Amino acid sequence: MRRLKYTPLLAALLAAAPVISHAVESAGNNMPLIPLSPAAKAPAPDLASPSKNLVKAAPSEDAFRETDVWNRIRSGYAIPDLNNSLVAKHVNWYAERPDHMARTSARASLYLFHVVSELEKRGMPTELALLPFIESAFNPTAVSSANAGGMWQFMPGTGRDFNLKQNAFKDDRRSVLASTDAALTYLQRLYDMFGDWQLALAAYNWGEGSVQKAIAKNRAAGKPTDFDSLSELMPAETRNYVPKLQAVKNIVANPGRYGLSLPLIQNEPYFTAVDKTSDIDLTVAAQLAELSVDEFKALNPQFKRPVITGGEQTQILLPKENAEKFHLNLAQWGRALSTWSTHKVTSARESIASLASKFRTTPEVIRQANNLPSRGVLKAGSTILVPKISASAGDIPTEIAENATINVADEPVAKRSNYRQAKATSSKTKSPIKLVKARVSRDDAGKKRRN
């Protein structure tokens, strides 16, 4: 059986899945519970002297002899098991949704080899590779209601703390490589802080300060400080967070027990990194790699604009066979790789319509390229993409790409008279013409729009 191949049909399957951050808490509240085998509970950690990570410091040769990434994950389980009613509820939730598990596993097939390899390099438990099942359903473009983004659901500020760049051209919270590196670094730091993987996971979801306060409260009351004992102090999302991961862990350990099957994901890299030598349009990059735009975006979701900019460290990810095609086609291309440049708005008089005329395009093209609303005006200081009008125009400077911002203001509403003339009266009447005040609500006159 061959590795799950990424095709346009699979791309459509992946796109059909909902963009969600966490499984809906209310789903399955009344589900019958599936009994699970007993599991040992971890003792309460001594935070003054965190225990050592018992996972091997490097992947063993046996890990690379596996033919299936799922087996590689199973062999590296190292987090003590939870066995409670919440775990059983969430196991049941996933077991009753085979379509959701199939879609999520199909997405995961692109990324799991890389994530597991990175975990093994760091000597971390391999079940952490399943965390994006909970965070984003392995959707690298997922955005939560709280504006957490990417496969690992980083908040903007936390992302910046871990060097995930966020600007007008890209959002590294979506980057497969950068976000995975940041997430594992963060999780390891939390483990070093608490000496317990369950508490580290709770802190990843709730914040380390919140977990520290909960530990202090239980200690002051003479109570244990393990995850189960602290769960009553946690918000519902965090209280369910580790049980959800345990539920997925149980299913991956023995999918047949729950009436599910997992697609074979061969134990070999799905993608390889290709260095970007100059600016390149996203559509051109996909064409050179002989991929659809959707297939290209699935591996390179961090690029927010139709052109890929950046310095020498910028890379694009491609399936191995497509990377070879990319290099061959690039050598024979013989045309411009990028059709875009930038323009900095200097005054409010530079409307989108006037800019479109200046750069020989349409307002719709500029709005679409810069993800601008259908109404609204650009504020002075905004840096936007515009079509190149000169063949000699070079690449977009890295400092411009990394510091570009786009700010949109509400479009001014044309002033209207507060009065309207009454209808003409019959010549037989002698009533004077009255002035009637117009009843125009503030909302109708002009609604505020998000910048």
Side-chain angles (χ1 to χ4, degrees), residues 210-345:
S210 298
V211 174
Q212 287 170 332
K213 290 177 182 177
I215 289 173
K217 184 172 183 178
N218 264 24
R219 276 189 173 156
K223 297 180 180 179
T225 58
D226 60 294
F227 177 85
D228 261 346
S229 301
L230 295 175
S231 62
E232 63 182 12
L233 302 176
M234 298 175 181
E237 182 180 291
T238 308
R239 190 163 56 249
N240 283 270
Y241 191 69
V242 176
K244 284 180 183 179
L245 180 62
Q246 182 70 53
V248 176
K249 177 180 172 179
N250 290 352
I251 288 172
V252 169
N254 189 356
R257 177 184 178 187
Y258 307 103
L260 297 172
S261 61
L262 299 174
L264 174 65
I265 305 175
Q266 284 192 347
N267 189 29
E268 61 185 42
Y270 179 79
F271 58 76
T272 186
V274 174
D275 292 329
K276 181 193 76 68
T277 56
S278 62
D279 287 358
I280 184 170
D281 288 359
L282 192 145
T283 54
V284 171
Q287 182 180 347
L288 292 175
E290 299 184 19
L291 293 169
S292 72
V293 171
D294 285 342
E295 289 170 330
F296 183 85
K297 286 182 176 179
L299 291 177
N300 302 278
Q302 69 270 31
F303 301 119
K304 298 164 58 178
R305 297 291 178 256
V307 60
I308 299 172
T309 65
E312 296 177 354
Q313 295 181 341
T314 301
Q315 295 178 316
I316 59 177
L317 302 183
L318 299 171
K320 185 176 180 181
E321 60 271 22
N322 296 90
E324 296 170 359
K325 295 175 182 178
F326 178 88
H327 288 301
L328 289 172
N329 292 331
L330 178 62
Q332 303 172 25
W333 183 246
R335 286 177 276 167
L337 291 173
S338 172
T339 59
W340 296 96
S341 185
T342 57
H343 173 78
K344 190 166 186 176
V345 178

Side-chain angles (χ1 to χ4, degrees), residues 136-174:
S136 63
F138 270 99
N139 185 342
T141 62
V143 179
S144 75
S145 58
N147 201 28
M151 192 163 70
W152 297 93
Q153 289 290 281
F154 273 96
M155 293 294 289
T158 308
R160 285 188 286 272
D161 289 343
F162 287 89
N163 300 315
L164 297 178
K165 294 180 180 178
Q166 301 156 61
N167 54 50
F169 285 85
K170 70 176 181 178
D171 185 345
D172 276 342
R173 295 180 300 160
R174 299 178 177 183

Side-chain angles (χ1 to χ4, degrees), residues 35 104 107 111 144 170 173 198 222 241 255 306 321 325 356 383 395 450:
T104 304
R107 282 203 203 93
Y111 318 118
S144 75
K170 70 176 181 178
R173 295 180 300 160
Q198 293 174 359
Y241 191 69
E321 60 271 22
K325 295 175 182 178
T383 299
D395 287 350
R450 180 181 294 175

Side-chain angles (χ1 to χ4, degrees), residues 13-286:
L13 175 65
L14 303 187
V19 179
I20 56 174
S21 176
H22 299 287
V24 179
E25 294 293 342
S26 60
N29 285 339
N30 299 315
M31 294 177 180
L33 302 183
I34 298 177
L36 301 178
S37 57
K41 289 186 178 181
D46 180 1
L47 297 186
S49 55
S51 59
K52 294 182 179 179
N53 190 336
L54 301 179
V55 185
K56 298 175 187 177
S60 65
E61 291 183 7
D62 291 340
F64 296 99
R65 293 194 187 106
E66 293 284 0
T67 58
D68 190 344
V69 170
W70 299 115
N71 285 334
R72 196 168 160 193
I73 293 173
R74 294 175 191 119
S75 67
Y77 280 1
I79 300 175
D81 288 334
L82 278 178
N83 185 18
N84 58 32
S85 61
L86 285 178
V87 173
K89 183 188 80 168
H90 293 302
V91 165
N92 207 48
W93 190 94
Y94 288 114
E96 289 190 346
R97 289 161 177 79
D99 290 347
H100 170 78
M101 291 298 293
R103 287 193 298 268
T104 304
S105 298
R107 282 203 203 93
S109 68
L110 278 65
Y111 318 118
L112 268 180
F113 178 91
H114 172 73
V115 176
V116 175
S117 297
E118 291 301 307
L119 285 166
E120 289 176 338
K121 285 179 186 177
R122 297 164 181 250
M124 298 172 71
T126 51
E127 60 259 57
L128 294 174
L130 305 175
L131 195 58
F133 265 92
I134 316 306
E135 288 287 355
S136 63
F138 270 99
N139 185 342
T141 62
V143 179
S144 75
S145 58
N147 201 28
M151 192 163 70
W152 297 93
Q153 289 290 281
F154 273 96
M155 293 294 289
T158 308
R160 285 188 286 272
D161 289 343
F162 287 89
N163 300 315
L164 297 178
K165 294 180 180 178
Q166 301 156 61
N167 54 50
F169 285 85
K170 70 176 181 178
D171 185 345
D172 276 342
R173 295 180 300 160
R174 299 178 177 183
S175 167
V176 177
L177 300 184
S179 71
T180 297
D181 179 71
L184 302 193
T185 298
Y186 188 21
L187 285 165
Q188 183 64 56
R189 190 180 83 178
L190 293 170
Y191 174 77
D192 292 341
M193 181 181 297
F194 295 106
D196 179 285
W197 279 114
Q198 293 174 359
L199 295 182
L201 288 163
Y204 186 87
N205 178 260
W206 193 23
E208 58 251 48
S210 298
V211 174
Q212 287 170 332
K213 290 177 182 177
I215 289 173
K217 184 172 183 178
N218 264 24
R219 276 189 173 156
K223 297 180 180 179
T225 58
D226 60 294
F227 177 85
D228 261 346
S229 301
L230 295 175
S231 62
E232 63 182 12
L233 302 176
M234 298 175 181
E237 182 180 291
T238 308
R239 190 163 56 249
N240 283 270
Y241 191 69
V242 176
K244 284 180 183 179
L245 180 62
Q246 182 70 53
V248 176
K249 177 180 172 179
N250 290 352
I251 288 172
V252 169
N254 189 356
R257 177 184 178 187
Y258 307 103
L260 297 172
S261 61
L262 299 174
L264 174 65
I265 305 175
Q266 284 192 347
N267 189 29
E268 61 185 42
Y270 179 79
F271 58 76
T272 186
V274 174
D275 292 329
K276 181 193 76 68
T277 56
S278 62
D279 287 358
I280 184 170
D281 288 359
L282 192 145
T283 54
V284 171

Side-chain angles (χ1 to χ4, degrees), residues 330-373:
L330 178 62
Q332 303 172 25
W333 183 246
R335 286 177 276 167
L337 291 173
S338 172
T339 59
W340 296 96
S341 185
T342 57
H343 173 78
K344 190 166 186 176
V345 178
T346 58
S347 73
R349 289 179 294 179
E350 288 192 289
S351 67
I352 293 175
S354 66
L355 289 170
S357 176
K358 180 179 180 179
F359 290 98
R360 304 169 193 169
T361 186
T362 65
E364 289 72 23
V365 167
I366 290 182
R367 289 187 187 278
Q368 186 174 7
N370 295 281
N371 195 28
L372 300 174

